[in-house]
Amino acid sequence: THRRWPHGMLHCRGTNILGDAMLMQAVILAGGFGTRLRSIVSDVPKPMAPIGEVPFLAFLLRYLQKSGFRDIVLSVGYLHEKIIDYFGAQFGDLRIRYAVESFPLGTGGGICRALRLTRPGEVFVINGDTFLGLNYKGMLAFHSVQQADITLALKPVNDTSRYGNVRMLGERIANFDEKGNVGPGLINAGVYLVNSQFIESQGVPESFSFERDLLAMRHEEIRLCGYISDTYFVDIGVPEDYQRAQMELPRQFELMPK
């Protein structure tokens, strides 16, 4: 049971997300240490940081359920027991399975281990400490039309310095600029659409960085596309944005009738 979640289902304002849940599956990366947030939240994994009385991860899962997902794999490591104890094998209409890291594998290693629990084909990979009001079905359709190997969700922002700027050439990603450059642009919003067989075919090591060792290093070799989503976005990875999420994220949701 999840008594800490308010009664009723949650619905994001301004969205109308319907469709066949069997088409989409997701891996959520929830194994990080959350070092920069440790001064505020020290006793739970970062995705379990409370927004009011509800874990951040619960907001993300409810949105995925509303978006049509039914199968979720959580890639967990640090303090994983707290995530498993809270969500168990079922959360609302979502079936949840867990890929547990006994030692840190990096984002890439965590993704590869979690993909073994998914059906062959397209899988969304989502950072467990970011929320993006993404049209997942729209991104899936774009990915298919572009015949992409990997598609990234990109968010337009006024200042890319914290994240680094993603440069586009048409629908394809041309380059990833280093962090620190001030100015407007597109950032990696922490949602990827990958093909599990394609990832398996890349000959990656057991432990690696998905962003640095695959996306940045091989973007010229693979068909890497960008899907722009100018919707609500928050990353709770630093204290000031975690505090901002306390006010903003609940406002993105409203209670639906039971």
Side-chain angles (χ1 to χ4, degrees), residues 11-204:
H11 169 67
C12 277
R13 291 194 180 101
T15 61
N16 180 21
I17 308 169
L18 301 171
D20 184 0
M22 295 302 292
L23 294 178
M24 298 194 298
Q25 52 187 338
V27 165
I28 300 178
L29 302 178
F33 291 98
T35 306
R36 291 175 295 176
L37 208 59
R38 196 73 57 84
S39 62
I40 297 177
V41 179
S42 60
D43 58 342
V44 294
K46 186 165 51 170
M48 294 297 288
I51 304 295
E53 297 183 350
V54 179
F56 177 84
L57 184 55
F59 281 92
L60 177 55
L61 288 171
R62 289 294 188 187
Y63 186 75
L64 292 179
Q65 176 178 307
K66 192 65 186 172
S67 298
F69 291 86
R70 291 298 178 268
D71 283 311
I72 304 292
V73 177
L74 290 179
S75 175
V76 295
Y78 174 66
L79 295 179
H80 62 271
E81 300 89 351
K82 299 207 172 188
I83 297 178
I84 296 172
D85 289 346
Y86 187 92
F87 293 105
Q90 191 83 20
F91 185 71
D93 293 333
L94 297 174
R95 181 178 69 145
I96 300 178
R97 287 169 292 170
Y98 298 89
V100 180
E101 296 180 16
S102 55
F103 57 91
L105 296 173
T107 52
I111 290 169
C112 289
R113 177 167 291 194
L115 286 176
R116 297 172 193 158
L117 299 179
T118 65
R119 300 185 305 275
E122 266 50 51
V123 183
F124 283 94
V125 176
I126 304 165
N127 286 343
D129 58 358
T130 59
F131 181 94
L132 178 68
L134 178 66
N135 179 346
Y136 283 91
K137 293 187 185 303
M139 183 167 167
L140 180 62
F142 171 87
H143 175 85
S144 177
V145 168
Q146 296 297 323
Q147 297 182 314
D149 295 319
I150 301 173
T151 298
L152 275 64
L154 304 177
K155 164 71 177 173
V157 297
N158 293 324
D159 182 7
T160 65
S161 58
R162 175 177 159 189
Y163 299 94
N165 185 41
V166 181
R167 296 191 182 273
M168 300 286 291
L169 185 62
E171 309 296 343
R172 295 188 66 167
I173 291 174
N175 202 13
F176 295 90
D177 291 345
E178 293 293 328
K179 299 177 183 180
N181 293 324
V182 178
L186 298 169
I187 63 167
N188 177 353
V191 180
Y192 314 98
L193 185 52
V194 307
N195 181 281
S196 55
Q197 294 105 314
F198 172 79
I199 298 297
E200 187 178 338
S201 73
Q202 293 303 294
V204 292

Side-chain angles (χ1 to χ4, degrees), residues 232-257:
Y232 178 74
F233 170 79
V234 67
D235 171 1
I236 64 165
V238 295
E240 54 267 30
D241 281 6
Y242 172 60
Q243 297 296 350
R244 182 166 63 86
Q246 296 289 334
M247 299 296 295
E248 293 181 354
L249 190 55
R251 290 175 184 166
Q252 297 296 313
F253 290 80
E254 63 188 20
L255 289 171
M256 290 182 66

